[in-house]
Amino acid sequence: MSEIQRLRELMARLRAPDGCPWDQEQTHQSIARCLVEEAAEVLEAIDTEDTELLREELGDLLLQVVFHSQIEEEAGRFDLEDVAREISEKLVRRHPHVFGDPGDKEEDADAVIDRWERIKAEEKKAKGVSETNQKFKNLPPQLPSTLFANEVYKQANKLGLEKEGEWDDSKINEMGSGLNEAQAGRALFEWVAACRSGGIDPESALRKFASSQVRILEEKYKPKP
């Protein structure tokens, strides 16, 4: 028996009528926070470069995937095999330069990402998901604001709109020249502390500004009638 199968069977046993009372009463909603917490602990292990801790925390994160899949299996909708099958098929579809024609190679990582997005759009179209004029891809609302802002600026740059936002792009380039991780960490920390001192929620402030830039740039990108 593989260890993955053993884990599935252990989870099913915990959820069984004669299993663990706590595990039995859990729902997707009740354990959603555990998923976030375990992912955060994986990131901590990565940041500290603690290999043993990373192995442990990846196991805790894997348990969340198995737990959610077990709940769905009990409802008769899908199971862990379906989850694994779907992501495997997606990886094959979106990497034709690896799993398709040997001569169909991409030159660099940026080209791979562009193709990934094109194939993703084709998949949505095939599923009947209507396309809109929206150019900025939808981002999960739970995404931390720093990651959200990073994605917004990256997409603006990709669309050639980095100079169209309500920010000083020349100042950004100047600040980024020679910037190292320690300097960036200190500057970000000081800004967060300054927000706290001024009674401002830095998470909300950054998210609101980044979201406003998406709306502004979408309007600027929109073709003229």
Side-chain angles (χ1 to χ4, degrees), residues 64-73 78-80 83:
Q64 299 308 308
V65 176
V66 173
F67 205 149
H68 284 283
S69 298
Q70 177 62 31
I71 293 173
E72 286 300 304
E73 183 174 355
F78 65 77
D79 61 16
L80 187 62
V83 173

Side-chain angles (χ1 to χ4, degrees), residues 4 22 51 61-62 79 90 112 131 152-153 159 175 207 210:
I4 293 293
W22 184 88
T51 304
L61 185 59
L62 175 60
D79 61 16
K90 181 185 291 186
V112 169
E131 294 188 21
V152 169
Y153 188 75
L159 293 169
M175 292 170 63
R207 184 178 299 281

Side-chain angles (χ1 to χ4, degrees), residues 206-218:
L206 179 55
R207 184 178 299 281
K208 285 179 180 178
F209 180 79
S211 296
S212 72
Q213 297 312 292
V214 171
R215 293 191 294 271
I216 290 169
L217 295 175
E218 283 282 6

Side-chain angles (χ1 to χ4, degrees), residues 8 29 36 62-63 72 83 88 90 98 107-108 110-111 123 132 144 154 157 161 173 176 180 182 187 193 197 199 206:
R8 290 182 67 188
Q29 291 71 27
V36 176
L62 175 60
L63 175 61
E72 286 300 304
V83 173
S88 294
K90 181 185 291 186
V98 176
E107 295 181 0
D108 54 37
D110 287 338
E123 290 172 355
T132 67
K154 183 174 75 173
N157 185 269
L161 298 173
N173 292 330
N180 61 42
S197 178
L206 179 55

Side-chain angles (χ1 to χ4, degrees), residues 56-125:
E56 177 185 347
E57 298 302 345
L58 284 172
D60 291 341
L61 185 59
L62 175 60
L63 175 61
Q64 299 308 308
V65 176
V66 173
F67 205 149
H68 284 283
S69 298
Q70 177 62 31
I71 293 173
E72 286 300 304
E73 183 174 355
E74 293 165 6
R77 289 185 285 262
F78 65 77
D79 61 16
L80 187 62
E81 286 293 320
D82 296 317
V83 173
R85 182 184 305 107
E86 186 161 334
I87 187 59
S88 294
E89 290 175 352
K90 181 185 291 186
L91 286 173
V92 171
R93 284 197 312 272
R94 296 189 184 180
H95 291 85
H97 53 290
V98 176
F99 302 107
D101 185 349
D104 185 16
K105 297 293 183 182
E106 294 292 1
E107 295 181 0
D108 54 37
D110 287 338
V112 169
I113 293 173
D114 287 341
R115 171 175 273 185
W116 177 285
E117 293 297 336
R118 288 197 306 273
I119 296 173
K120 182 177 179 180
E122 291 168 1
E123 290 172 355
K124 287 185 175 181
K125 188 175 181 180

Side-chain angles (χ1 to χ4, degrees), residues 16 30 33-34 44 50 60 67 70 97 112 149 154 158 200:
S30 69
R33 64 177 179 78
C34 298
E44 179 186 10
D50 189 329
D60 291 341
F67 205 149
Q70 177 62 31
H97 53 290
V112 169
K154 183 174 75 173
K158 186 175 179 180
I200 298 169

